[in-house]
Every structure is written in C-alpha cells, then in structure tokens.
Amino acid sequence: MIEIENLCKSFTLHNQNAAVIPVMAGANLAVARGECVGLIGASGAGKSTLMRMVWGNYLAASGSIYVGNVDVVTASPRQIIALRRDTLGYVSQFLRVVPRVPTLDVVAEPLLNLGVPADTARARAAELLARLNIPQRLWELSPTTFSGGEQQRVNIARGFAHPFPALLLDEPTASLDAANREVVLGLIEEAKARGAAILGIFHDEGARDRVCDRLIDVRAFTPKAAA
Amino acid sequence: MTDLSHTFAAAADKPLLQVKSLTKRYGARIGCADISFDVYPGEVLGIVGESGSGKSTLLSCLAGHMRPDQGEVIFETATGPRDTVQMGEAERRRLARTDWAYVHQNPRDGLRMGVSAGGNVGERLMAIGARHYGGIRDKAIDWLGRVEIDAGRVDDRPSAFSGGMQQRLQIARNLVTAPRLVFMDEPTGGLDVSVQARLLDLLRGLVREMGLSAIIVTHDLAVVRLLADRLMVMKGGHVVEAGLTDQVLDDPQHEYTQLLVSSVLQV
C-alpha cells in the first residue's frame, strides 16, 4: 500500500548562506495492507522527515513514494489533496484546528469532507470521543483549551474517523494514561484487521512491540557524507 | 447539498478559472508579471506576500476591476470558457453579479451603509431578477442566520454593526446568489482574533457545502494554513513559489518564502 524507493531529501537554507543539508539518501521501505511498520532511530535521525515526505508537506529531492497508485513525489497538489481526503490519514503530534470550532465537528470534519451526511459523521465522531474517554460535556467546546492528553485523543479520534486504507501515526500514545493508551492500541489493531497499512513512530516500546509487525531503523537512510 | 458535492466532484477535472501570463504595469513599475495558474471547482487558493508584492493588483485584474496589460483570465461560464479580459463591460458586470463575488477588506467598500442589513442581502438577489418581496426577505433572513446575525437585526443598518458583523454581512450579501468563485481581499484583516476564527469556520463550511471556489489574498499565514488548499507566494510582482499549502509553509523552497515563514511567531 505504501512503497518508498530510493528516496532522497536535502534542505537548502537560503538565509544561512544557502547551506545544503542532506538528510536522507536511498530510503527504501514498503508497508503492506494490514501491516504496521515502526520507524526507529535516535531523535533527529529522520523519522519525522520521512513521515512528512509521505504526507507530502516535505518535498523529496528524488525517488518515489507510492501510496496506493499515487506517487506523492511527483503528484500535483490536487492529487495530494484527494489522496488525503480518501486514502491517507495522518495523526500528528499536534492538533491544528480553527479556533472555536466544537470538538465534535473537528472530529467529524474528515467525514464531512468526503460527503458523509452531517448526522452520520457526528454520530461516528461521538462514538470515537466516547471511546477515547473525552467527557461529553467537552464535545461542544473547542479543543484548543484542552489539556495535552485530551488534544492528543481528539487528534486520534479525527485520524480514525474515516477508515483510511493508509495511516501515518506520529507517537499516537505519547502523553496518554494507561487506559487511553489501551484504547488507542485497540484502534490501531482494528485498523490493521480491516487492512489498513500503517507507518508509525512509537517511542513507547511496549506499544511498539504490540502493534508493529516490523521495525525499520532510519539511520540506514542517513546520507553517508553526513554520517 | 450532498448531491451538489457529487456534481462538482464530477466537474472538478475542468478548471473553473485559468489565468495565463497575466501582466499589469503601472508605468515603468511592475504591478504583477507573467502570472499563470488554474483554480478548480471547490478549491481555495491563497495568495500571500508582503504589501507591495502585487497580490491586490492581481486580484483586481482577476475580478475585472482593473484591466491587465497582457494575458488571459479564462472563466468557465455556463456557456463554456470565456476570456473575461476581452469580454464587454456589460457582460463582465453580469458575471460579477452572478457567478462571482468580491469580499473587500473593508466591509464599507462592499456594503451599502445607508441600506438595512436585509436590504444589503436582498439587493444582490434583485440584481439577478428576484422580484417577490416576501421571498427576498425570507432568503435574506436565512442568510443572516447562516453568518450568525440575529434575524432581529434585519432592519438595522450596517453602520450600527460591529466590524466583525459588518464583515459577516458582506459575506452574506456576496454569497446569497450562490456564486461559483469568490475573490477575497484580506477578509479577516482588522478583526479580533476570536471573530476571525468564527469567520474562518464559516468560510470553510460554505466552501464545503456550496462547493464554491475562492481566491484569498492575505498576509496572514495562519489564515491560509487553515483555509487554503494551495498557496502562491508573491514578491515584487512575481510568483516565487506555489504548491500545496502545508508543503509551502513547512518546507519552503524559495529564499523569500523561507524568510517569510521564519519571520512569523508560529503558524
């Protein structure tokens, strides 16, 4: 479902004497349907960079990233928007929303964008929020005022609202208590069972051992000159 | 509304607006130069850049408020693609009343301050031929509700409204005729942050429900991050970078964009 071949990335910092910093070279990996692959490697090794290139908010220098039949590296912005609408989901570490929008609508939005009727979308959102132990009295409030753990759970609910065939998870269990961590791991296992291909970063080793089928150390993708 | 989303998805393969090599000079100075891009149905395009970068000139040329020196602005009208630059004034005005809408930065430029709120909304309807008073009034009240203005204020003049309410009224006045393309010049500029947020949410809902396309000129990167699908960065009258909004903001390639993004506290 996700196939990465010979992927390279460098940053050019124009405001620092046009310094060119190579960060990744020759990255190869594949994630099949129903499989969860964990990225490991020290902080700064390029785990998040790789995830962002798959999501399309970082541009690759060369190589290819197929998600389904779309190559994110060469796709037009419109193709990436369509891919994110129906195929590729992303649970980032940060919740980024329009302020003052109720939590229930934040979670329902990915479904509304797919043309799901508002009632159905909100019902699905309510189900996920309840499962993730967000108290119902908070559903009509904007998540911008929530605690870190609550925001993280809202983000997860939003990411799992639509059954995306491919999912990117950036530390989905960070800052969660044991009970909520369990709920999130359950959601990940269900997503795998329905055939989702998942690429994730998990610093939580217990979580990693439980849901990941394979681990890939991104240090193997570090450009040799910079190593 | 749900049926509508399917129809525009089907039509979405054809651009609604195609801009080709658009250039506008002010004497020897460049307003904007050699600008080309497409806008598709249901898409929001953000244009950012500092003041003087040519973004407002570009918007004025697109909306027919100013005549470009060169280039084409091809709009997909009901009867097929037409270059609006070559169009007669009367026909272009008709487009501006029906298929297009223009939301000014200052609501006073887009509203009639001496006419009631309901009248401001109803006027656009009458301009396209609506004549039944009750129907016009009902539709006006419906739209005031959508932009969260209490129906009890329908007979008040906009001069009695706060800045945020005036801006929402301007949006209602513009969208009541169900335009297909909305031009917005700093639509949230000069508003409180909390009012801005409400307006952003409103605009996003309208884009989703009505399938309209929008071109938004702003210098606020946080606004485009939340609202725009695609982004164009302008400097000195030229487009220096264009792409997916979060890609341009998170991994800017051009020197100027890198400077612009790094100068903002947090977007």
Side-chain angles (χ1 to χ4, degrees), chain B residues 126-145:
Chain B
M126 289 170 67
I128 58 163
R131 288 293 174 266
H132 184 266
Y133 176 78
I136 293 170
R137 191 177 166 89
D138 287 349
K139 204 157 179 186
I141 290 175
D142 172 46
W143 266 92
L144 291 180

Side-chain angles (χ1 to χ4, degrees), chain A residues 9 11-15 55-59 77-78 80-81 84 96 98-101 109 112-113, chain B residues 12 40 43 194 197-198 201 204 208 225-226 229-230 244 246-247 250-251 253-255 258-259 267:
Chain A
K9 169 74 184 163
F11 290 104
T12 305
L13 306 177
H14 290 289
N15 301 308
W55 181 240
N57 62 330
Y58 274 19
L59 281 182
R78 293 185 63 236
I80 295 179
I81 289 165
R84 292 176 180 181
R96 211 172 231 146
V98 178
R100 300 182 59 166
V101 175
E109 197 187 13
L112 296 175
N113 289 340
Chain B
Y40 286 80
E43 190 174 51
S194 63
R198 227 156 108 189
D201 182 43
R204 257 169 51 139
R208 187 170 56 216
R225 161 136 8 226
L226 293 172
D229 300 306
R230 288 191 299 127
L244 201 62
D246 60 0
Q247 182 264 302
D250 294 339
D251 189 14
Q253 305 294 306
H254 190 271
E255 181 175 357
Q258 290 187 356
L259 185 68
V267 288

